[in-house]
Amino acid sequence: MFERLKQLFAVGNSANDDKMTLELVTAALLLEVCKSDFQEDPGEIDKIRKILIAHFSVSIADIDTFMAQARNTTEERTDLYPFTRYINDNCNNIEKYQLVSTLWEVALEDGRIDKYEDHLIRKISDLIYLPHSDFIRAKLSVIGDGH
């Protein structure tokens, strides 16, 4: 699903983005959704780990170190702009839709979508210029998958 994205994110666009990779951008946004309701649900953290291991080159052995690196990256930033700009510079709408779907998966992992999670995913979706119809379709597809 994310193979093309991984290639696109392999090289940064500026000196400040040299450390950015698709894995890091995705992990950072997933972690932001996880903590947006002011509690980090262990199930949501587990879901993030599974997504990163399944779709990226993050190994089981390295996942905790990588998650810590992603946390540090989000704490160094005061906004979502570096992440969403990176997505806009390198992704098409299908790839953006896939990203937003994974954000919904994490938000729903604890059995409910908190209003803060919903707001953040809507904000990310707007910042990456994903059409509103795709934002809704992604949400409904995740909700309809048995949650």
Side-chain angles (χ1 to χ4, degrees), residues 1-127:
M1 159 166 65
F2 290 107
E3 288 304 310
R4 184 171 166 278
L5 286 172
K6 287 185 351 188
Q7 294 168 359
L8 290 171
F9 285 110
V11 178
N13 292 332
S14 70
N16 292 335
D17 289 338
D18 283 345
K19 293 189 273 184
M20 291 281 191
T21 64
L22 176 62
E23 291 92 343
L24 192 59
V25 168
T26 301
L29 292 174
L30 292 170
L31 285 168
E32 287 298 308
V33 168
C34 177
K35 67 183 183 179
S36 67
D37 61 358
F38 304 104
Q39 58 184 13
E40 285 192 19
D41 182 87
E44 290 177 349
I45 296 294
D46 236 15
K47 182 70 169 182
I48 294 169
R49 284 186 177 104
K50 288 175 184 174
I51 289 169
L52 295 172
I53 291 168
H55 298 290
F56 300 104
S57 59
V58 181
S59 70
I60 293 172
D62 296 333
I63 191 66
D64 290 328
T65 303
F66 183 76
M67 293 280 288
Q69 180 185 2
R71 279 183 202 280
N72 289 339
T73 300
T74 62
E75 290 171 4
E76 291 172 1
R77 312 277 187 199
T78 58
D79 63 8
L80 300 171
Y81 179 74
F83 307 115
T84 59
R85 186 190 75 215
Y86 205 81
I87 301 260
N88 286 326
D89 288 348
N90 296 285
C91 297
N92 63 36
N93 278 355
I94 293 169
E95 296 156 337
K96 291 175 182 181
Y97 172 84
Q98 292 170 334
L99 172 64
V100 170
S101 291
T102 61
L103 297 174
W104 284 121
E105 288 176 29
V106 169
L108 193 58
E109 185 61 27
D110 63 0
R112 65 182 185 81
I113 297 174
D114 182 85
K115 66 181 179 180
Y116 298 111
E117 292 168 329
D118 187 276
H119 174 76
L120 181 60
I121 297 170
R122 181 179 306 270
K123 181 177 179 179
I124 291 168
S125 182
D126 287 345
L127 290 170

